Amino acid sequence: MPVLRISLLTALLCLLFAGSASASATQAMTFEAPRDLENPAKRPAAMQEIASLGVHSLRVIVQWSRVAPNADSPTRPKFDATNPAAYNWSQYDPILADAAARGWPVLVTISSPVPKWATKYKLDSLTRPDPAEFGQFVTAVGRHYGAQVNLWSIWNEPNQPQFLRPQFANGGKPQSPLMYRKLFQAATAGLAAAGQANDTVLLGETSPRGSSRVVAPLTFLRGVLCLNAHYKRRGSCGALNAGGYAHHAYTTRQGPSFIPPRKDEVTIGVLSRLTKALDRATKAKALTKRLPIYLTEFGTQSLPDDQQGVSLANQVKFRAIAERIAYDSPRVVAFSQYLLTDSDPTGPKQYGGFESGLRFADGKPKPSLGAFPLPLAVQRVGAKGVSIWGLVRPATGVTTATVTYKDKGSSTYKKLRDVTTNSRGYLQFSASYRSGRRWNLTWQGRTSYPVTAYKK
């Protein structure tokens, strides 16, 4: 495909991605919709809908095995692995071309599955990928997309066995962090070889919880950075040079206020665990600088999945609360929405994918679709007050929105006040609390989903 130049708007938005001291002033929003965007028939409408929601940037995961030659063979073909012409980019080129035409920045995550020939044992697409081969592939990615992309992340959820194996070895010791460190170093060297040395490269992309099969994110972080449990250096590992830390701060059906009992887990309600861990790592000189946090994948699963999903009303409420938590954290510079359309069920009432979309699997809208452009979160403050936070996502500058309320037993909403947003569409003010009261946000004919107050 022809090389596409980044427009001035894209360059400005990518600078926005690069981080700042205050997330409340700069927090960017990305959208990830592989089911819709990878389908040529659905892509144009999906891009238009994402834009109408007020989002103008994407996350795209480029899977090594989907573009590499002879990926299912244990025998490596003879080819120059750093040459983009050796790969089939047809699955991803149209998405990035559409984004470039709109002036949208794209976060590209380079990840597994990998070609069998690029693994140690040549048996599958996940076990012990060869860092040298990966570095050459990343060079090809950088050469192919470097004119369009300057924000990258390395590996999707490397602390999960469905993306990198083994997670544990040698009597149950975490193994994936050691493999990931080498993959990350190879990737940064590969991007530098492609002429992208000045780009922002994110470390991590970790999932939030741990188990006997999954390395908990903070355990993983310490392992990657060669730190012990007390954040002291072990071995002769040098400091890693990353541009930020990427994390997937999913929570449970209990909502954003859920606090994981295991201290090495990081859901949206305990982001401070991650910021403290990163600061301790920087103090130990395991990182070259203080890293901003990019929440590159997030969503709230809903019905019809009655095992992992919440009610449709709580999907709206929980997602807005989570976005407010991210906004309130000075270290968070990017938030995200994972899925426009739910995954297809694997059978009757069998939900093996994700139901975090704004539409059901059949395309019908959830309440979240209408609420997404106008997230509203009302937090209890003391016995008699609330703090009302909202966002007019489609706004392109300072605008005015109206907050209304309805008390228990009433059939109509009354105006609470007109609110002037900041230049990025955010609003926040204090009001009185009444049990049973619901609040709404209205802007230019659009109305959010009614929400109740929550306790922090």
Side-chain angles (χ1 to χ4, degrees), residues 33 216 338 373 433:
Y338 180 64
Y433 170 75

Side-chain angles (χ1 to χ4, degrees), residues 60-329:
V60 174
I61 300 177
V62 173
Q63 297 178 339
W64 189 1
S65 67
R66 293 180 72 175
V67 301
N70 302 103
D72 293 330
S73 172
T75 303
R76 187 191 189 279
K78 293 182 179 180
F79 75 112
D80 179 1
T82 66
N83 184 356
Y87 298 86
N88 179 3
W89 309 100
S90 60
Q91 189 72 51
Y92 304 109
D93 278 355
I95 302 173
L96 272 79
D98 281 2
R102 292 172 178 267
W104 293 6
V106 178
L107 161 62
V108 168
T109 300
I110 308 172
S111 189
S112 60
V114 311
K116 281 185 180 180
W117 49 259
T119 63
K120 183 175 182 178
Y121 305 115
K122 324 296 186 200
L123 297 175
D124 62 24
S125 59
L126 296 171
T127 302
R128 299 187 184 278
D130 187 312
E133 292 283 7
F134 184 58
Q136 293 182 69
F137 171 59
V138 174
T139 297
V141 178
R143 287 174 175 169
H144 189 64
Y145 290 126
Q148 298 167 250
V149 178
N150 65 8
L151 180 64
W152 314 84
S153 62
I154 307 305
W155 223 270
N156 182 62
E157 298 190 349
N159 60 326
Q160 287 275 355
Q162 63 264 43
F163 299 109
L164 184 63
R165 297 177 187 167
Q167 287 292 308
F168 298 92
N170 303 323
K173 295 180 181 179
Q175 184 68 22
S176 57
L178 306 177
M179 293 188 291
Y180 178 77
R181 180 184 175 90
K182 294 178 181 178
L183 292 168
F184 182 84
Q185 291 174 314
T188 54
L191 285 171
Q196 306 300 124
N198 294 325
D199 290 355
T200 299
V201 186
L202 306 183
L203 181 73
E205 291 282 13
T206 40
S207 64
R209 309 291 303 278
S211 69
S212 60
R213 299 179 63 250
V214 179
V215 178
L218 297 188
T219 304
F220 184 86
L221 173 65
R222 292 194 301 271
V224 170
L225 299 179
C226 304
L227 296 167
N228 65 18
H230 300 288
Y231 287 82
K232 294 181 179 179
R233 297 290 293 278
R234 52 179 171 75
S236 57
C237 296
L240 284 186
N241 184 21
Y245 192 88
H247 184 62
H248 304 170
Y250 290 108
T251 186
T252 68
R253 294 181 70 188
Q254 296 179 48
S257 62
F258 169 74
I259 298 177
R262 288 176 285 201
K263 300 299 184 182
D264 284 338
E265 299 180 335
V266 181
T267 55
I268 190 70
V270 288
L271 286 179
S272 60
R273 292 182 182 179
L274 179 55
T275 58
K276 290 176 182 177
L278 290 170
D279 286 346
R280 293 177 71 182
T282 305
K283 186 177 181 180
K285 301 188 184 306
L287 292 167
T288 59
K289 58 187 175 184
R290 190 170 184 260
L291 298 185
I293 295 171
Y294 294 69
L295 300 180
T296 52
E297 187 178 312
F298 188 85
T300 299
Q301 297 200 74
S302 75
L303 297 174
D305 184 348
D306 57 6
Q307 298 299 310
Q308 303 295 327
V310 301
S311 70
L312 298 178
N314 275 343
Q315 184 187 37
V316 173
K317 181 177 178 178
F318 288 172
R319 207 206 163 283
I321 295 170
E323 188 164 3
R324 177 176 184 168
I325 291 172
Y327 176 89
D328 285 341
S329 174

Side-chain angles (χ1 to χ4, degrees), residues 381-424:
V381 179
K384 298 181 180 180
V386 293
S387 171
I388 298 177
W389 174 95
L391 168 62
V392 180
R393 204 185 303 278
T396 56
V398 175
T399 190
T400 300
T402 301
V403 176
T404 60
Y405 69 93
K406 183 176 74 170
D407 286 326
K408 189 175 182 180
S410 175
S411 60
T412 59
Y413 278 88
K414 300 178 181 178
K415 180 190 288 190
L416 179 61
R417 61 182 286 187
D418 293 323
V419 188
T420 300
T421 72
N422 68 12
S423 61
R424 301 190 64 243

